[in-house]
Amino acid sequence: MKYLEIKEKYPNTRIIAVSKYTTDDKIIALHNLGQIEFGENKVQDLTRKKLELSNKINWHFIGNLQKNKVNLLIKSQPIMWQSCVSYDMAKYVDTRLDYKLQTLLEINVANEDSKSGITPENAIDEYLKIKENCKNINLVGVMCIGAMSDNLHQIIKSFELCYKIYQNLEKYDAKICSMGMSSDYEIAIKSGSNMIRLGSILFNE
Ligand SMILES: *Cc1c(COP(=O)(O)O)cnc(C)c1O
């Protein structure tokens, strides 16, 4: 099975199983193989799965967060919010939190309009501003989605940019560089990723 192969090949890389397109049965099957961390990109889905599936699963929120869903997300107590895109959103969530939420700043490394995230130029300033002003937002690193391209060089470039920003933030306690999905996780790991988010490669077989 692909999951076990990847785990064995990359023992130092944290795997987040992205379950947005799969069935509850498949989530439980993977959980029974030892996978504890799962990711969802819709607040309602995360909330339902948190309630209905094993309470030993730790949930990551990885999607676009709308302000009107923030209270619902907090009630579901995800262990990580990977997709914080700005100080503004961080502040909005911070004032509603009653626990410290591990959070990653999402960086739009490919500068693609279709993608969310902060621009690379503003990432470090914004990171420090969140860290200083949001007491319940526990910033622990960065996240990105690699460039959507057939050009390998461009994909590598986008990961390397994210990794460089991460390295600059290590002195401010950044520990997680979340990059790499089913199609590009090996490239991401070579570029410095220590957390990969895998969906289709784990569930579509
Ligand atoms: C869907 C999704 C993934 C997983 O994508 P796959 O290509 O199925 O591995 C990873 N990260 C984010 C932010 C996603 O939305």
Side-chain angles (χ1 to χ4, degrees):
M1 199 212 176
K2 204 72 197 171
Y3 170 68
L4 296 173
E5 264 172 52
I6 296 171
K7 247 177 79 135
E8 188 173 278
K9 189 163 175 195
Y10 299 106
N12 301 319
T13 308
R14 210 161 139 187
I15 300 174
I16 310 306
V18 178
S19 47
K20 62 190 182 200
Y21 295 136
T22 197
T23 61
D24 290 356
D25 286 349
K26 285 190 172 181
I27 295 173
I28 293 301
L30 192 63
H31 181 51
N32 287 340
L33 283 178
Q35 179 66 21
I36 292 171
E37 300 191 276
F38 288 77
E40 287 288 331
N41 70 340
K42 294 218 169 68
V43 174
Q44 296 97 310
D45 292 345
L46 188 152
T47 301
R48 182 190 69 75
K49 291 175 192 183
K50 165 101 183 189
L51 273 173
E52 294 180 5
L53 305 179
S54 166
N55 59 13
K56 297 205 173 66
I57 291 178
N58 289 334
W59 293 97
H60 290 237
F61 185 69
I62 61 172
N64 198 7
L65 182 58
Q66 291 163 298
K67 286 187 171 167
N68 63 2
K69 300 280 163 57
V70 168
N71 286 332
L72 185 60
L73 180 66
I74 289 173
K75 254 198 247 162
S76 302
Q77 301 220 322
I79 70 149
M80 194 179 289
W81 172 30
Q82 295 210 9
S83 44
C84 174
V85 295
S86 65
Y87 171 73
D88 192 49
M89 263 325 274
K91 195 76 211 163
Y92 192 88
V93 174
D94 180 56
T95 54
R96 287 160 179 81
L97 273 171
D98 52 8
Y99 70 104
K100 281 197 188 300
L101 175 59
Q102 292 187 71
T103 300
L104 304 179
L105 184 64
E106 181 176 355
I107 302 170
N108 186 353
V109 281
N111 264 321
E112 287 168 13
D113 287 345
S114 59
K115 281 195 196 132
S116 47
I118 184 134
T119 60
E121 298 74 41
N122 295 326
I124 289 176
D125 283 351
E126 202 87 343
Y127 192 96
L128 297 179
K129 197 165 143 191
I130 295 169
K131 214 169 156 59
E132 193 167 313
N133 296 295
C134 304
K135 66 178 190 331
N136 282 327
I137 298 287
N138 178 19
L139 266 188
V140 290
V142 296
M143 183 271 251
C144 79
I145 297 172
M148 292 294 169
S149 169
D150 298 328
N151 182 332
L152 179 63
H153 178 69
Q154 224 152 28
I155 301 171
I156 294 173
K157 235 174 66 182
S158 67
F159 286 141
E160 286 181 345
L161 177 57
C162 188
Y163 184 66
K164 213 168 110 191
I165 294 167
Y166 167 71
Q167 281 185 308
N168 275 303
L169 291 169
E170 277 184 307
K171 55 179 170 291
Y172 305 106
D173 299 325
K175 291 186 171 53
I176 295 171
C177 180
S178 171
M179 52 188 199
M181 310 183 4
S182 294
S183 60
D184 55 18
Y185 70 95
E186 296 198 283
I187 306 167
I189 291 169
K190 278 199 194 99
S191 308
S193 168
N194 57 18
M195 177 180 279
I196 52 179
R197 309 176 310 272
L198 303 179
S200 47
I201 197 170
L202 299 183
F203 295 112
N204 298 352
E205 52 172 14

